Amino acid sequence: MNSFSIKTENLSKSFGAVKALKGVSFDFSEGLLHGLIGSNGAGKTTAMRLLAGLLRPSSGSITYFKDGKAADFAEFRPGLAYMPQQASLYPDLSIEEHLEFFRALYRLDAETYARRSAGLLEITRLGKFLKRRAGQLSGGMYKKLGLMCALLQSPSALLLDEPTNGVDPISRREFWELLYGLAADRVLVIVSTAYMDEAERCARVHLLDDGTLLASGEPRAVLEEAGAAGFEEIFIRRGKGAER
Amino acid sequence: MNITLRAFIKKELAQTLRDVRMRVLLFGAPVIQLTIFGLALSTEIKNIKLAFFYAPDDVMARRLEGDFYSSGWFKPVDFTAGEDPLELIVSGRADAAIIAPDEGLARSSERGEGRVQLLVDASNATKARTVETYVKTIISAGWAGKGGGAANPPPVKLDVRVLYNPAMESSLFLVPGVMGMVVCLITIILTAMSLAREREMGTFETIVSAPLSDAEILLGKTIPFVLLGLAVTALTLLAAYFFFGVPVRGPLWQLALGSLVFIITTVSVGTLISTIAKNQQQAMLGGFIFLFPAILMSGIMYPVENMPTTVIAAAYLNPLMCFMRILRSVLLKGGEAYVFWTNMGALALMAMAAGGLAYNRFKQTLD
């Protein structure tokens, strides 16, 4: 079991008459790189926001575990980082100013900040652009800066909502390299994505469609069980079934 | 009708009317404006607080006093014999004072020396001019009504003493008003838009997901605007002093403390608006919905005293009116303690109420 993990039980969330999540049970206790896979409107962002404590469930429960024991969210929260889907940086602030701001939010001392920011700038290769404003960064660099801000607190659990959305293929590959590195450092990473090819990069996948969980498990096992050649096929079959 | 045109009309109406806040703006704001303009605002100056000093046995002065209060323009001020007329004006309890001669108005008039002194608060120059005109009119009308004839001048002469603004310059009255208005506008709009902008940009999600308390986020978001508001106040004060010759007759600490508490109040109001608004456009509109009546009912342009009693009661919940009173008192009248502390108390209560409401409404969730 991971040192930081999360489990949900019959998790539901409604916004007025719209049911965004319909009794979903996730288990993020085994494997470090999880993918929430689904098309737009499947409920991925709602699930991420619920896990990050930004929304309250309409019903069901979320249990956080720290060092194998159930923990309050308040206890879990300092080790949790979240990167929203929407552009969530300040266009008028430079990379350096962003790092300084997030350093203050996470209350890092000068030495820790210097060490972590140097390390992050090296792996993201953004060191040359410290003075460049976020509004002037390319899509890939922008996402990397968002990830750097989230990682500055050295989290034990990281939630990334569609981090590679709108990013070119090379930047996407670099981004995934960063995530592999985090998983290798025993960080629980939960990534939501609508790109089916990214599902295969995860240790565990959770297929979401219309607020319900279609399948969970290791990518190969999920495909074998569904008898599908790829994840797209599972969703297409489901769509055709719904039409009938 | 052209199908494209019809589609546009339908789309625009649906977009506008589906949003509750837009419906409030569309149908609520005109009602508020009509009520204020129709019922509350008047350029005619009434309810002037007048203290009339005369000897107990001065029948002529008593009759003249009756003429003043029955005119509908003046209302009596409670004071005790022996109080200083000047003090009544300094403290704001009276707008004007008339002092009859000690020997009695009738006796001094018979000798051809019938003089009454009029002390008038000219921190509002327009009001002071009107008071002087009213007083002259009433004295002349009273004399004419008692058989003196309109052609002959009344035996009572008026000795006018204009306080605080002897040259009756309108700028001395208006510039402090505009100062208060500018500070109010900037702090409310900037603060209201700040949190709304975070929401619109998505950065709000990042901030609330960080391990921070509500108080830390709210203070972090509002303190910069308090500092900016203070800087704008200092700037407008310097401009008022150097360009318009507005004096600073009261203590600077009153000005600084009054400005600080006022800005904390307006920033709290701005924060409260931002907890209701979904986006910057709504925050801006919300700010103006508050500012419009606040400016009209502040006494900057229209005297609050002329408004109906219920509207006056509402005006006391207006931070801009309290700040205006502090500003004019400190700048023009020397900063009377009673005026300062009563308005400061009201501002502090408003700051606590608005700040408390904003804090309660602020949630670190996106629900």
Side-chain angles (χ1 to χ4, degrees), chain A residues 13 49 53-56 77-78 80 82 84 86-91 101-102 105-107 153, chain B residues 198-213 216 221 363-367:
Chain A
K13 180 68 187 175
R49 287 175 171 173
L54 296 175
L55 291 175
R56 280 173 292 221
R77 194 180 180 186
L80 175 72
Y82 169 63
Q86 205 184 345
S88 53
L89 300 171
Y90 300 93
F101 176 65
F102 280 86
L105 292 191
Y106 303 137
R107 299 184 182 90
Q153 62 169 323
Chain B
E198 296 266 10
R199 260 195 211 101
E200 216 171 308
M201 287 167 59
T203 46
F204 183 75
E205 229 174 311
T206 310
I207 288 177
V208 295
S209 65
L212 302 170
S213 69
E216 279 176 316
K221 290 295 300 173
K363 294 186 193 93
Q364 282 201 49
T365 64
L366 305 173
D367 276 306

Side-chain angles (χ1 to χ4, degrees), chain A residues 80-131:
Chain A
L80 175 72
Y82 169 63
M83 185 177 139
Q85 173 192 5
Q86 205 184 345
S88 53
L89 300 171
Y90 300 93
D92 295 326
L93 297 189
S94 66
I95 291 180
E96 192 174 29
E97 286 166 331
H98 271 94
L99 293 176
E100 288 283 351
F101 176 65
F102 280 86
R103 171 209 170 173
L105 292 191
Y106 303 137
R107 299 184 182 90
L108 301 181
D109 59 61
E111 191 196 324
T112 311
Y113 169 68
R115 182 167 32 84
R116 285 188 193 163
S117 59
L120 288 168
L121 285 168
E122 192 186 330
I123 56 172
T124 55
R125 298 204 293 271
L126 288 179
K128 285 184 287 183
F129 310 101
L130 270 180
K131 301 287 177 198

Side-chain angles (χ1 to χ4, degrees), chain A residues 4 9 13 15 53 60 70 106 109 117 119 140 142 145 152 175 177 184 195 210-211 218 222 227 230 239:
Chain A
F4 268 62
E9 197 73 39
K13 180 68 187 175
F15 301 97
Y106 303 137
D109 59 61
S117 59
Y142 191 90
L145 175 58
L152 203 56
F175 204 90
E177 293 298 330
Y195 297 128
D210 193 25
E218 290 176 16
V222 169

Side-chain angles (χ1 to χ4, degrees), chain A residues 88-215:
Chain A
S88 53
L89 300 171
Y90 300 93
D92 295 326
L93 297 189
S94 66
I95 291 180
E96 192 174 29
E97 286 166 331
H98 271 94
L99 293 176
E100 288 283 351
F101 176 65
F102 280 86
R103 171 209 170 173
L105 292 191
Y106 303 137
R107 299 184 182 90
L108 301 181
D109 59 61
E111 191 196 324
T112 311
Y113 169 68
R115 182 167 32 84
R116 285 188 193 163
S117 59
L120 288 168
L121 285 168
E122 192 186 330
I123 56 172
T124 55
R125 298 204 293 271
L126 288 179
K128 285 184 287 183
F129 310 101
L130 270 180
K131 301 287 177 198
R132 191 176 287 188
R133 291 181 184 186
Q136 297 167 336
L137 297 176
S138 68
M141 288 160 86
Y142 191 90
K143 294 282 184 179
K144 280 181 189 170
L145 175 58
L147 183 65
M148 268 201 330
C149 292
L151 292 178
L152 203 56
Q153 62 169 323
S154 191
S156 301
L158 176 64
L159 306 173
L160 303 166
D161 192 9
E162 302 203 33
T164 55
N165 198 8
V167 175
D168 67 78
I170 294 169
S171 297
R172 269 174 69 191
R173 199 169 65 191
E174 284 177 0
F175 204 90
W176 275 96
E177 293 298 330
L178 289 174
L179 300 188
Y180 290 139
L182 290 170
D185 288 340
R186 308 296 302 160
V187 176
L188 168 68
V189 181
I190 304 172
V191 190
S192 76
T193 179
Y195 297 128
M196 301 298 158
D197 58 315
E198 290 187 340
E200 285 156 25
R201 297 174 185 263
C202 301
R204 295 275 195 285
V205 290
H206 309 266
L207 307 189
L208 270 177
D209 185 58
D210 193 25
T212 53
L213 187 61
L214 297 185

